[in-house]
Amino acid sequence: MAAIDCGTNSIRLLVADLPDPSAGPTAPLVDVCRRMEIVRLGQGVDRTGQLAPEAIERTRVALAEYAAEIEKLGVERVRMCATSASRDARNAADFRTMVEQTLGVAPEVVSGDEEARLSFTGAVRGLPADARPPYLVMDIGGGSTEFVVGDRDTGVRAAVSMDIGCVRMTERHLHGDPPGLDEIAAARADIAVAVDRALEVVPGREAATLVGLAGSVTTVVAIAEGITEYDPSRIHHARVSYERVAEVTAELLAMSREQRLAIPVMHPGRADVIGAGALVLQVAMERSGADSVVASEHDILDGIAWSIGSTE
């Protein structure tokens, strides 16, 4: 089966098999391939309310490559979920038509609540024993950030999506290179208001473990851990303290884009928005009282794949 997650900043593909039933309830998916391209579908959406034609075209090019891979691997079932940018855009029909023509299936523009639940499903399966429930799972995307509280046994207790993604916050506030202190303060205040609202909906302050998802988190964790070449196996389930997250965030916000590009683990398409993503993580840790974050390389993409398998 193939799962595609098309967000505000990136489009990702997972082709996987379900684990053998004898492997037990916490067994992971059997990966065949994982791919990611930065396409910035949400370019300018916060300002214009529309998907830019060049952003749709970048997404089409990446999706055509994924479609070819899916056909080559003999995939039986495909589910594509589109998230924040395509929820917000007035011309979402143009995007939908492109996807149907390129992939042969319609994209599902999932709600923020469904996005949060898929992220939770993908993240909590296989968490290590020292990651105690209940979990606050936070998925920092390009246009939005999802907050979900629950545990493995009873599932999701509450979920909410807030419009504080790394692309949206960068476009709204962080214009300097590097951003000025006043810009950072404005972004921090905006993020804090949204996080506090989220924590009124989900009981995140009661969670025993914060689990962080997506590229902003995994990049911050890779930098914090001193990893010089991006290695998912070293990042997956690594635990980083609040103090170290704050240090890395301050360093990233003080750098120019050129300096961030020189960081060995930095994806070129993330260099201009990583400061905002790191700030979302730091502020959320402050407001929720989390003293550390556990990174997960498994997220909404895995949740989409599990949702395909659960309907077989």
Side-chain angles (χ1 to χ4, degrees):
M1 55 198 175
I4 299 174
D5 167 39
C6 186
T8 301
N9 198 41
S10 65
I11 184 168
R12 300 181 300 148
L13 167 70
L14 167 62
V15 178
D17 294 319
L18 287 172
D20 189 288
S22 64
T26 63
L29 294 163
V30 182
D31 287 14
V32 177
C33 83
R34 288 181 187 258
R35 293 183 57 178
M36 187 272 287
E37 298 290 339
I38 301 285
V39 294
R40 197 64 56 83
L41 178 63
Q43 170 193 332
V45 165
D46 190 56
R47 176 176 52 83
T48 66
Q50 295 195 106
L51 298 172
E54 61 270 27
I56 294 176
E57 174 59 17
R58 289 193 299 268
T59 306
R60 185 199 65 78
V61 170
L63 192 59
E65 293 182 4
Y66 290 178
E69 187 82 1
I70 285 167
E71 183 175 4
K72 182 179 76 173
L73 293 173
V75 167
E76 296 175 4
R77 302 186 66 184
V78 180
R79 184 182 184 193
M80 176 176 173
C81 292
T83 52
S84 178
S86 47
R87 277 199 304 268
D88 299 341
R90 290 194 299 270
N91 61 337
D94 295 342
F95 169 75
R96 181 184 180 90
T97 298
M98 179 278 289
V99 171
E100 290 178 330
Q101 291 175 345
T102 306
L103 187 63
V105 301
E108 299 176 46
V109 182
V110 297
S111 67
D113 183 69
E114 174 68 2
E115 185 177 354
R117 292 173 187 275
L118 289 168
S119 295
F120 184 86
T121 299
V124 303
R125 194 176 182 107
L127 278 173
D130 66 347
R132 296 183 296 110
Y135 311 113
L136 168 58
V137 173
M138 186 171 65
D139 186 346
I140 303 174
S144 63
T145 294
E146 284 65 54
F147 299 80
V148 199
V149 170
D151 57 51
R152 269 192 290 256
D153 295 333
T154 59
V156 172
R157 287 171 54 188
V160 67
S161 179
M162 305 301 294
D163 286 341
I164 50 169
C166 60
V167 174
R168 194 184 299 269
M169 290 297 96
T170 300
E171 291 184 350
R172 189 178 292 176
H173 299 292
L174 304 181
H175 304 133
D177 185 28
L181 294 178
D182 56 338
E183 295 176 338
I184 295 170
R188 173 183 282 277
D190 199 356
I191 293 165
V193 168
V195 170
D196 286 346
R197 287 176 180 164
L199 294 175
E200 291 172 4
V201 177
V202 302
R205 295 185 179 93
E206 300 173 12
T209 303
L210 171 64
V211 182
L213 314 183
S216 290
V217 174
T218 56
T219 301
V220 167
V221 167
I223 295 169
E225 293 287 278
I227 296 171
T228 56
E229 183 175 347
Y230 197 92
D231 182 353
S233 66
R234 291 183 63 187
I235 297 166
H236 189 47
H237 294 163
R239 185 186 289 270
V240 174
S241 70
Y242 165 78
E243 289 76 17
R244 191 70 185 106
V245 168
E247 289 172 1
V248 172
T249 300
E251 291 166 4
L252 290 169
L253 288 169
M255 292 178 179
S256 66
R257 182 176 185 275
E258 184 177 355
Q259 289 172 318
R260 292 191 295 270
L261 279 169
I263 298 172
V265 295
M266 186 67 64
H267 190 288
R270 203 174 300 284
D272 58 336
V273 297
I274 185 61
L279 192 59
V280 172
L281 174 60
Q282 181 186 346
V283 173
M285 293 180 77
E286 290 170 357
R287 311 303 281 193
S288 67
D291 59 7
S292 64
V293 59
V294 176
S296 177
E297 288 278 353
H298 296 174
D299 51 28
I300 187 173
L301 194 60
D302 301 76
I304 295 167
W306 283 113
S307 73
I308 300 171
S310 68
T311 62
E312 291 187 339

